[in-house]
Structures are given as C-alpha cells and as structure tokens.
Amino acid sequence: MNYFQLFNLPAQFELDLAELNSRYLKLQRQFHPDKHSAGSERDRLMAVQQTANINDAYRSLKQPLLRAEHLLALRGLLIDDEQRSFNEPMFLMQQMTLREQLAEIKTAADPDAVIDHVETELQQAKKQLLVQLADALRQAKPEQDQQAADLIRKLKFFYKLQHELEFIEQQLKD
C-alpha cells in the first residue's frame, strides 16, 4: 500500500505534518467503523480494516525514519529488520564513545551534566543525518537511495541511544 496515495500527498520525505494530520482526521471521520454500524458485516469489517490501514499509514508518515523507509520501499529498496554493520571508523568511534558515556552516567559526579552532553550530541547527530537523508531521498536515484538506506541505519542507532538515555534518566529520577 502506498501511504502517500492514501493521504493524497506527494511521495517525498519532506511533508507538511499539519496537512498530514488534517487529512488523517478527515479519513478517520470518513471510514470510522461507527459510521458503518448499520451496514453489512462485510462493510463493517472493511471499515475496521481501512481504519487500521489509515492508522498504520499515519504512524509511518508521521515519523521521519518510517517515512523514509516507506519511501525507499516504494522505490524497491527494503531495509526492514536487516542487520548490517558499518565499516566507517568515525561512525564506529562515535558509537563507542556514546555507549561509554551512557554507561558512565549512573556513576558520574554530575549525572545531569553527562545526560545534557549526550543529549546534545545525539540531537546534533540526528539533525545532521536527517538533513543528509532528505537530500539523498530528494534526488530519487538508485545510488542516493542506497546512501539514504545507510543514513537510516545510522539514524536508527541514534534513536536507539536516545531511548536508552531517556530510560537511564527516568531510572535516576525514580
């Protein structure tokens, strides 16, 4: 299913999220199962399925990484659940450094300062990679799509670290 077509939006990485939300609400009103309660069982089941499709599509288009993965899938490049290692020494070094910093938070003299530092590094890395990802996807060429796939893999690492940082921060507050 082409999620962009479902929402009648152009198949591109940059989206107007307010417009996406507006179209989501309109589709939800149109296909809400309660509107089909007087219909046949088949109609009710189709309304439930369509609502589930709309929710999945909205969730995917709303999140940059899922949107990028969907865009690449539409272009024939699937990267779901694959495990691929990186051979870029700078990226690997950055991964190791951030992991070490996360591991040291609980024993640091000033955990909040370490959390702020790691948070800043993660935000900067994600911002930089998202700009590169948008540029790669905008070109819509096979070589740039492969580059976009690598950028998505890197971004997944940073998002995973972000979740781990938030978990550690929550543990310290409890």
Side-chain angles (χ1 to χ4, degrees):
M1 171 180 281
N2 183 330
Y3 296 155
F4 295 100
Q5 284 180 346
L6 178 64
F7 286 92
N8 197 23
L9 291 168
Q12 61 189 33
F13 183 66
E14 295 92 354
L15 281 184
D16 180 344
L17 294 179
E19 182 64 28
L20 172 66
N21 191 53
S22 172
R23 292 176 188 222
Y24 168 73
L25 294 174
K26 183 178 176 184
L27 285 171
Q28 280 295 332
R29 283 191 298 272
Q30 182 179 350
F31 291 101
H32 195 279
D34 288 348
K35 292 190 102 179
H36 303 275
S37 61
S40 68
E41 182 173 336
R42 182 178 183 274
D43 289 346
R44 289 191 308 265
L45 289 174
M46 288 182 68
V48 168
Q49 182 60 50
Q50 186 65 6
T51 300
N53 290 338
I54 292 166
N55 288 337
D56 288 344
Y58 178 70
R59 184 180 56 85
S60 291
L61 293 182
K62 189 175 174 184
Q63 298 175 14
L65 283 186
L66 295 176
R67 183 181 333 125
E69 284 188 64
H70 181 65
L71 196 52
L72 288 179
L74 292 175
R75 296 176 185 173
L77 187 71
L78 298 175
I79 58 172
D80 289 343
D81 300 327
E82 68 175 12
Q83 297 294 322
R84 185 172 169 181
S85 59
F86 289 96
N87 296 324
E88 297 175 35
M90 293 291 289
F91 180 70
L92 295 173
M93 183 60 76
Q94 187 180 25
Q95 285 184 40
M96 288 178 21
T97 301
L98 287 167
R99 285 247 170 251
E100 288 171 2
Q101 290 173 344
L102 282 180
E104 295 170 359
I105 288 174
K106 290 181 181 174
T107 58
D110 186 359
D112 290 335
V114 179
I115 288 171
D116 289 345
H117 175 73
V118 172
E119 173 72 25
T120 300
E121 283 194 40
L122 289 173
Q123 293 302 326
Q124 288 174 346
K126 289 188 321 189
K127 183 177 179 181
Q128 182 180 21
L129 289 173
L130 284 169
V131 168
Q132 293 174 12
L133 178 61
D135 185 50
L137 289 170
R138 192 177 306 113
Q139 297 182 44
K141 295 179 182 173
E143 186 175 317
Q144 280 71 32
D145 285 349
Q146 284 295 332
Q147 179 188 9
D150 286 340
L151 291 166
I152 290 169
R153 292 178 192 105
K154 288 179 181 177
L155 277 161
K156 284 183 174 181
F157 168 76
F158 289 112
Y159 278 96
K160 182 178 177 187
L161 279 182
Q162 183 75 48
H163 290 295
E164 290 176 23
L165 178 63
E166 290 167 5
F167 181 73
I168 291 169
E169 192 173 7
Q170 187 60 44
Q171 283 182 323
L172 290 173
K173 288 180 180 176
D174 292 340

